Amino acid sequence: APPIAPMAARRGADEMRDRVVLGEFGVRNVHTTDFPGNYPGYEDAWDQRRFEETFRVDVIREEEDALEFDMVGIDAAIANAFRRILLAEVPTMAVEKVFVYNNTSIVQDEILAHRLGLIPIRADPRLFEYRNQGDQEGTEIDTLQFQLKIKCKRNPQAAKESSDPDELYFNHKVYSKDMTWVPLGNQTDLFPDADFRPVHDDILIALLRPGQEIDVLMHCVKGIGKDHAKFSPVATASYRLLPEITLLQPIEDEAAETLQKCFSPGVIEIQNINGKKVARVANARLDTFSREVFRHEGLKNLVRLARVRNHYIFSVESTGILPPDVLVSEAIRILMGKCQRFLNELDSVPME
């Protein structure tokens, strides 16, 4: 066979390094580019200057509780470290101990305690310390105390023939808004303008009937998702690689319409050029890569599906305790702390 021209070989290696190609069956070029010697003719050793030139973060969409941003120029290992730190290592405050003084509702004590633990509490964890292990009594620097005291009564003004519990009873639904903050020690002076409360007021905790009551005291402490999922500050933190769709030749008329239906809405648009309908890629980012196009014999060889290997689209959805941008910067701080700890360990270990 004739030798491949060096240019073509270089182009092939470029594609292998920069793109993950989705075939009809399976995915090609999935291995990392993080190690030298993986690709002939490329020096892939870590270089700080090169990293600083190529790395960038673009914020795409920022809402109160959701953030979508692109992180370009990193490897999967780093992207995954951020994701896992967001899920399991950024601390928050959550109910840890529930002291039940009275609970005559049909919700058992341990189920009630579990439900209370999962309610996100709007309190900045950076203001508090971790509670010492084995410490039964909380102090003002490591504990937030909440009380939930509620009793269900009949409504004497209710119409006789009514069957609507909302009309018949008072307090028959126990909501998270019924949890009130009870300052410990000098917390009123420590947090003069604090508004510690559940993130959402309308989380249903239990249903009561006349004569039933709940009287509990709760201790919130600082913790991380590794110990219990209730401490996780995000509803979800995930990433995906940027999709890239290449049309290898012009696709027109009926084929163009079929192609458009193969992808998510907004990915392929049809333009009218000289009376012909011509397909073009409008926004590959919106695609979920169902690979539907590979089911069409006439189209599957005309389209190349790939993902850009070092372009991560992150989406971080906060539970509302801290804004998502704060969560991301906290995650970066935690990763920096881990690196620093590792370097200190290296320094402190005497070399053989």
Side-chain angles (χ1 to χ4, degrees), residues 197-222:
R197 58 191 175 84
V199 172
H200 304 286
D201 288 338
D202 57 350
I203 299 172
L204 187 63
I205 297 170
L207 292 173
L208 303 181
R209 283 296 176 262
Q212 296 182 352
E213 65 177 300
I214 289 177
D215 181 3
V216 297
L217 204 61
M218 291 160 265
H219 280 182
C220 292
V221 303
K222 184 172 173 175

Side-chain angles (χ1 to χ4, degrees), residues 89-267:
E89 292 186 59
V90 175
T92 63
M93 302 291 285
V95 174
E96 174 74 3
K97 283 190 160 44
V98 178
F99 303 95
V100 182
Y101 292 105
N102 196 0
N103 173 21
T104 53
S105 75
I106 60 162
V107 182
Q108 298 97 323
D109 293 358
E110 56 271 44
I111 303 286
L112 180 66
H114 181 253
R115 288 179 71 77
L116 292 168
L118 292 172
I119 293 171
I121 304 294
R122 179 167 284 154
D124 192 331
R126 294 169 295 183
L127 303 172
F128 297 90
E129 302 293 324
Y130 286 102
R131 194 195 268 201
N132 294 328
Q133 216 134 21
D135 189 0
Q136 289 302 312
E137 294 299 312
T139 63
E140 60 266 15
I141 58 162
D142 60 25
T143 305
L144 270 180
Q145 189 169 262
F146 283 90
Q147 186 180 36
L148 174 62
K149 191 171 184 176
I150 191 161
K151 185 169 186 174
C152 179
K153 293 188 175 75
R154 286 190 188 280
N155 176 7
Q157 266 85 50
K160 282 265 189 301
E161 64 284 349
S162 172
S163 61
D164 179 8
D166 289 336
E167 220 176 291
L168 290 171
Y169 317 122
F170 291 129
N171 292 339
H172 81 106
K173 285 183 174 174
V174 182
Y175 286 111
S176 49
K177 64 169 177 268
D178 301 316
M179 291 166 60
T180 51
W181 174 46
V182 181
L184 270 174
N186 64 344
Q187 280 182 340
T188 26
D189 305 331
L190 278 176
F191 313 112
D193 48 359
D195 180 21
F196 298 129
R197 58 191 175 84
V199 172
H200 304 286
D201 288 338
D202 57 350
I203 299 172
L204 187 63
I205 297 170
L207 292 173
L208 303 181
R209 283 296 176 262
Q212 296 182 352
E213 65 177 300
I214 289 177
D215 181 3
V216 297
L217 204 61
M218 291 160 265
H219 280 182
C220 292
V221 303
K222 184 172 173 175
I224 57 174
K226 255 186 186 172
D227 298 326
H228 194 292
K230 68 186 175 191
F231 292 115
S232 183
V234 292
T236 114
S238 62
Y239 60 76
R240 60 194 179 103
L241 289 173
L242 178 74
E244 183 186 68
I245 299 166
T246 318
L247 305 183
L248 304 175
Q249 65 184 64
I251 297 176
E252 298 171 348
D253 299 332
E254 261 176 63
E257 286 177 352
T258 312
L259 183 79
Q260 189 178 36
K261 291 190 186 116
C262 289
F263 294 97
S264 304
V267 175

Side-chain angles (χ1 to χ4, degrees), residues 247 251-253 256-257 260 268-282:
L247 305 183
I251 297 176
E252 298 171 348
D253 299 332
E257 286 177 352
Q260 189 178 36
I268 302 287
E269 72 173 16
I270 294 179
Q271 293 176 321
N272 203 324
I273 298 174
N274 301 335
K276 275 187 176 169
K277 292 175 179 168
V278 181
R280 85 171 191 93
V281 181

